[in-house]
Amino acid sequence: MGFGIGVSNPGMGPRGALDSFSGGEEDRRGAVFNKRVVTRMLAYLRPYRRQMTLAVLTMLVITALTLLTPYLLKLAIDQAITHGDREELIRLSVYTALAYTALYGATAVQQYLLSWVGQRVLANLRSELFAHLQKLSLGYHDTHIVGVTVSRVMNDVAAINELLSQGVITLAGDVLVLAGIMAIMLSMSSYLALLAFTVLPLMVLATWWFSSRARGAFRRTRTSVARVVGDLAEDISGVRVIQAFGQENTSQERFNQVNEANRDANISAMNLSFIFLPAIEFLGVLATVIVLWFGGQAVAREAVTLGTLVAFLSYVTRFFQPVQELSRMVTTLQSAMAGGEQVLRLLDTPPEVQDRPGAVELTLDGAPRIDFEAVDFRYRPGLPIVLSGLDLSILPGQTVALVGATGAGKSSIANLIARFYEVERGAVKINGVDVRDVTQTSLRRQIGLVPQDAFLFSGSIADNIRYGRPDATDAEVEQAARLANAHEFISARPEGYQTLVQEGAANLSVGQRQLVCIARAILTDPRILILDEATSNVDSLTEALIQDALRALFQGRTSVVIAHRLSTIRNADLICVVEGGRVVEQGRHAELLARGGAYAALYQRQFGGGGQPEAGHS
Amino acid sequence: MHIPIATPRPTSSQARLLLRCFGYLRPHWKLTAGAYLTMLVIDAFNMLNPQLLRWTIDKGILAGDFRLLGLASLALLGLVILKGVLTYFQGRWTETASQNVAYDLRNELQRKITLLSFSFHDQAQAGDLLSRAIQDVERIRFLTGRATFRVAEGVVMMLATAAVMIVMNPRLALLAVLAIPLLAYQSIRFGRVFRPLSRLIQEQLAALTTRVEQNLRGARVVKTFAQEEQEIRRFEDENQRWFELASTSARLQAVHMPLLQWIANISSVGILLYGGMLVINGQLTIGELVAFTTYMGQLVSPVRYLGMILPAIAMAAASAERIFDILDRAPEVREQPGARPLEICEGRVRFENVSFAYGQNRVLREISFEAQPNQVVALLGPNGSGKTSIVNLIPRFYDPTEGRICIDGTDIREVTLASLRGQIGMVLQETTLFEASIRENISFGRPDASEEEIIAAARAAQAHDFIVQSANGYDTAVGERGVTLSGGQKQRLAIARALLTDPRILILDDATSSVDSETEHRIQLALERVMQGRTTFVIAHRLSTVQRADLILVLEKGRIAARGQHAELLKSSPLYASICQQQLKGQGRN
Ligand SMILES: Nc1ncnc2c1ncn2[C@@H]1O[C@H](COP(=O)(O)OP(=O)(O)OP(=O)(O)O)[C@@H](O)[C@H]1O
Ligand SMILES: Nc1ncnc2c1ncn2[C@@H]1O[C@H](COP(=O)(O)OP(=O)(O)OP(=O)(O)O)[C@@H](O)[C@H]1O
Ligand SMILES: [Mg+2]
Ligand SMILES: [Mg+2]
């Protein structure tokens, strides 16, 4: 069964600020039958040609058996019962029972094959989507709501499944039966047959009408369900804020709206098919009536025998059975197509950051040099420029500190070293090699980055620490944790390193999360270490301990440290003050203080200003 | 029937679960009743149609009566139009009712999720909750809609046919009806195996959802460590497991569902054989037998539907279990019956011997202190010493395991949650913003705030300047969780958001950790103005934030190790003194 949940009016999303890129994919009324979508979807069946062929064969067997059993029945009545032949009756009954049993076997095989292929394709599609998501750059993740993407992978994919498995076979079977019956009808009486077929153009028209409307309606069900998932996912991740601000009611109202929109989209999509299906049935009866009326007169004219007319009528009824099935398929098709579109759209989104053809592996023997050469950067076209004409050289083995007001662009500099985004102008070079000339994977393997937001996965603490190097031994994990000063709190837990980190790391204090993140970065033994506010929530005693440990660790690496707490960066070889997207001042601590510029002011504020403790120089 | 996978035991009876699902149809009983009545009429039409056709042939064509033929044709068309209209309404009503069930269930789930306490959310997985609210609800929707409708339709058809058959020939009918208990037995047996399996499948689907969700949330970390391959492998593992479960279920269904049809078919062969013998013995006419077999065909055709619907019902029961599991939870933090709204006159906050544990993990021991009205209380201490845990008790995010907390002498467990939280403004240590405009984020706690108030709050939090510089000013969109802002920008929005609610008690949990000291200083000056007339709790690691507090609590391993003001503590608390010294080292070295 499909998961066609629906949703809301595009552009009306209550949290619609990012609508344009958050899944409110628009309701363009497209072609009735998107051949491209269908062909590409069908391609997923190709690896299972054998199974599908077998399914088609079983379908033929099933059709044959379904025709055979009434015939056996007829034989039983005509030959056995009317002649009082008990043995013949028993024999025929046994045959019938055998035929039914064979039918059972064939049906079971067919059903199994079809569902198997369906689930297999579903699983493959999900894997493909997931793998594609791994390729997409952070720019994509910045602008797409997690819940919406989740809905693509989980719900839209499921909508296609029905069409791909049961659908294709039903389609094939029905078309086959249809062709057979048409042939029989034509051979019985071409006059009556052509009369009956006059309704066909009307049917095509009705189908066209339905499909063109249904397209938008079904697309709306897909986008609206994505909104439901998106909104709920956000409520879940923000539930602590919602409760802290007592906004349970507002969030409920908001959810109500998307939920309602989804419900209405579903109802209106189904509504169309409730008009369409009876319309098709009406056309079927219309054909019967036409045959009856003209056939009746033909019988009177003795152009057609009564027997032919009666038989013909029963064929007309049988003709419209597969037609009805097929029109039911149109609904499935539309729903699958809407899902397919969303899935393909995601699959076709190119990663903004891509490896250049012929990109080489970056190999570093020792601490590298990092250069920013006249870098201009903005996150997305249309957004304000973040870095402009940034020049920065970090020598091999240096520890460079970036300080500056919030929003100055420090984290952005870190993001560019790891090439999470592309520069607009200029270049970022490592040992003189443009980061765009090396593969992303090899680049990032050389970098240990502790990001500003300490994200941990759910799983054990040990697994989190060895995230970047899954093959690290327990001893190495512990060693890294000791360096990051995390060992103490971890071993105080009853389960030690096996303690499960709950979602959002809810069961660790924020400082503890940062310690684990530092351990995670240390363990990969990177050539370039970037600490972006890695200890902002860590108490100063622990921080001092970490620094002592890091001092040894900084040997043989090039490090970038970003911090607001100036005590964090006191060991730096070079301090750069970032302001308005460029480096306005650089030098050693003492030089900068002496210069009396931006750094001196910052320093003054932190240690000199109004609240200078009496014990300052103790 | 053997399933190679351990299945969980169902916890409550299928019937009870299903009944409870149908309970959600109650508010829409008119639609449902309408749909079912229409179904009866449609069935009657279906019975009528062939008769009309036969009559037209007999009386119209055979007799050559074209007027009658014309009339009958018109009648046929009229009938089908009428039936079409009825079918439309029947479909629409069923669909509307069942979509409303899904709507109600989702609303209820969302409400429950926002109401459940922090302790629930500490353990819950977003992906799992999402999959319950979407896929599991979807299964219930199918159950309360088309699935049951088809079953009802089939049952009506079967009963009607059985009645006709009994009238025609009770003995033969008995033979036909004999198949029914067999069918029932087989269905029940199937349901018993299939439901636990469906539950496993749903859980696996939830696990998949969780994988995707976590992966997307941690996208930056995945990239940082170049672990895409590893993530893909992990996903494939879960996906493969899902596939195996799903194909087990496909096999089960493929084996057992057509079996129903087989039972029905075989019993029709039985009728043929027995009836044929009766005819041969002269106890039955051949016409009767033919008619009988035709009816038998009618009797078995609904069985086909049953085969499709039964798995859906079993799946719905498994899903219902997962949904009601959430709906039946009570929030751990609850209002007492007869709780009064809290009125804060002075803002005196008193902890009396408070101890607290997260499950078995004891994190606070015998905490006692009192924050005087309008005081600034600072909490300082190493990571994991319990600072956040202490302030989380004030708005009752958790309840203490021992001791009590009073505001102006009233135990906070005796007042309503809304009044308590409404007067507390909080900046949580972990900044969470919503995917909305900056304006909406700031006015989150007070959606009716005026533009001036919003700007004033933003100014106090030193956020105004960067806001007006961003692409669309206050209308600039903030990515999910605030991803498109810098760390310090997020925190300042969170401060503005808390200030806007004009709280009596203000709690700042490491609220300026990502803000540079210049900005922090300005925020402090602004706060000093707004802190007038409120009791404020400040948690910070930077001394500059803490030292001017009226009361500093130095925490260590869940206890208050020292308390007092900056100057006293420097002398009395070695821990405090060493923290000070540590932070000022930078200065000493130059
Ligand atoms: N993903 C993003 N998309 C769009 N804009 C962004 C994104 N990340 C940051 N910005 C914007 O870029 C500017 C620089 O941000 P950045 O994170 O580099 O600042 P920062 O110096 O690290 O500040 P902080 O000290 O507060 O962390 C800010 O104005 C911010 O709003
Ligand atoms: N939801 C939770 N479930 C279980 N344990 C928890 C939970 N939250 C915190 N803890 C544990 O309780 C202890 C106290 O945590 P708390 O968050 O109060 O520390 P904190 O003093 O705020 O530290 P930080 O300075 O790092 O923010 C820590 O050891 C932490 O691991
Ligand atoms: Mg930053
Ligand atoms: Mg804390």
Side-chain angles (χ1 to χ4, degrees), chain B residues 498-554:
Chain B
L499 290 180
L500 186 65
T501 61
D502 190 22
R504 291 304 317 265
I505 297 175
L506 182 63
I507 300 175
L508 304 171
D509 189 351
D510 229 354
T512 50
S513 62
S514 309
V515 175
D516 62 283
S517 19
E518 177 58 37
T519 311
E520 187 194 17
H521 177 68
R522 277 188 270 128
I523 295 178
Q524 263 182 2
L525 292 184
L527 281 182
E528 256 160 47
R529 257 181 290 119
V530 300
M531 277 176 193
Q532 304 290 321
R534 326 174 192 268
T535 309
T536 309
F537 292 83
V538 182
I539 299 178
H541 291 296
R542 257 185 258 172
L543 265 188
S544 49
T545 324
V546 164
Q547 60 200 6
R548 271 180 294 178
D550 300 301
L551 172 67
I552 301 174
L553 302 175
V554 182

Side-chain angles (χ1 to χ4, degrees), chain B residues 266-334:
Chain B
I266 290 298
S267 68
S268 75
V269 176
I271 288 184
L272 178 70
L273 188 60
Y274 181 60
M277 292 301 179
L278 288 183
V279 173
I280 294 173
N281 293 345
Q283 284 161 295
L284 194 73
T285 73
I286 194 147
E288 277 172 315
L289 179 63
V290 172
F292 216 85
T293 43
T294 317
Y295 279 116
M296 189 63 200
Q298 266 189 42
L299 192 66
V300 298
S301 73
V303 169
R304 221 169 67 106
Y305 276 131
L306 231 53
M308 296 188 315
I309 299 306
L310 277 177
I313 292 177
M315 280 194 264
S319 289
E321 230 175 316
R322 283 165 51 77
I323 289 171
F324 296 137
D325 171 44
I326 302 283
L327 291 184
D328 291 344
R329 270 172 212 251
E332 267 176 36
V333 175
R334 249 167 307 178

Side-chain angles (χ1 to χ4, degrees), chain B residues 339-351:
Chain B
R340 297 166 289 107
L342 170 73
E343 274 177 47
I344 302 184
C345 314
E346 299 181 296
R348 190 187 301 275
V349 180
R350 211 179 132 78
F351 275 61

Side-chain angles (χ1 to χ4, degrees), chain B residues 304-510:
Chain B
R304 221 169 67 106
Y305 276 131
L306 231 53
M308 296 188 315
I309 299 306
L310 277 177
I313 292 177
M315 280 194 264
S319 289
E321 230 175 316
R322 283 165 51 77
I323 289 171
F324 296 137
D325 171 44
I326 302 283
L327 291 184
D328 291 344
R329 270 172 212 251
E332 267 176 36
V333 175
R334 249 167 307 178
E335 278 176 16
Q336 280 176 3
R340 297 166 289 107
L342 170 73
E343 274 177 47
I344 302 184
C345 314
E346 299 181 296
R348 190 187 301 275
V349 180
R350 211 179 132 78
F351 275 61
E352 294 174 11
N353 248 323
V354 170
S355 297
F356 175 64
Y358 295 102
Q360 298 301 311
N361 186 6
R362 279 195 66 168
V363 296
L364 297 178
R365 289 157 211 267
E366 290 129 38
I367 302 283
S368 298
F369 69 89
E370 184 170 290
Q372 304 295 335
N374 305 340
Q375 261 192 346
V376 175
V377 177
L379 291 92
L380 188 76
N383 294 127
S385 54
K387 305 178 293 295
T388 302
S389 306
I390 288 185
V391 295
N392 275 348
L393 296 178
I394 303 174
R396 280 191 82 196
F397 291 150
Y398 301 89
D399 275 338
T401 25
E402 273 164 57
R404 61 182 204 142
I405 299 165
C406 299
I407 295 180
D408 286 347
T410 316
D411 189 327
I412 55 172
R413 277 170 295 198
E414 286 161 11
V415 300
T416 61
L417 280 176
S419 69
L420 175 67
R421 291 179 186 166
Q423 296 180 76
I424 299 177
M426 231 182 153
V427 180
L428 301 174
Q429 194 169 9
E430 205 188 1
T431 320
T432 307
L433 299 176
F434 293 96
E435 191 257 328
S437 67
I438 288 181
R439 183 197 320 279
E440 284 168 291
N441 267 298
I442 295 180
S443 63
F444 183 76
R446 254 186 66 204
D448 56 343
S450 72
E451 186 73 16
E452 291 79 55
E453 289 171 308
I454 292 176
I455 293 178
R459 277 190 199 280
Q462 305 302 314
H464 180 72
D465 289 345
F466 93 78
I467 296 173
V468 292
Q469 277 165 25
S470 24
N472 296 312
Y474 279 85
D475 293 315
T476 307
V478 164
E480 194 178 23
R481 302 191 128 204
V483 283
T484 55
L485 296 174
S486 85
Q489 291 170 340
K490 274 191 274 193
Q491 277 194 331
R492 283 178 285 162
L493 288 191
I495 295 174
R497 176 169 72 185
L499 290 180
L500 186 65
T501 61
D502 190 22
R504 291 304 317 265
I505 297 175
L506 182 63
I507 300 175
L508 304 171
D509 189 351
D510 229 354

Side-chain angles (χ1 to χ4, degrees), chain A residues 15 18 86 104 123 127 134 234-235 240 243 256 263 271 281 406 467 503 537 570 603 606 611, chain B residues 83 92 100 107 110 114 116 122 126 223 231 236 239 255 281 435 492 510 517 547 587 589:
Chain A
R15 272 177 199 155
L18 277 183
R86 281 164 215 257
Y104 163 71
S127 291
Q134 306 310 303
E234 224 190 357
D235 284 344
R240 289 174 176 82
Q243 291 192 4
N256 252 9
R263 178 194 66 189
N271 214 3
E281 191 177 352
T406 90
Y467 184 76
E503 192 165 285
N537 295 104
R570 62 184 178 219
Y603 186 82
Q606 209 163 97
Chain B
K83 189 182 138 194
R92 193 187 161 107
N100 270 308
N107 271 350
Q110 193 266 359
T114 48
L116 282 170
D122 288 347
K223 294 222 173 302
E231 286 289 310
E236 301 255 294
N239 201 12
V255 171
N281 293 345
E435 191 257 328
R492 283 178 285 162
D510 229 354
S517 19
Q547 60 200 6
Q587 190 178 30
R589 246 172 48 111

Side-chain angles (χ1 to χ4, degrees), chain A residues 33 38 42 59 163 165-178 322 325-330 332-333:
Chain A
F33 180 81
V38 174
L42 285 180
M59 180 195 79
L163 176 69
S165 52
Q166 317 283 347
V168 172
I169 274 290
T170 320
L171 212 74
D174 286 341
V175 169
L176 206 71
V177 171
L178 215 59
E325 283 294 317
L326 282 177
S327 35
R328 220 162 275 147
M329 284 290 306
V330 176
T332 317
L333 183 74

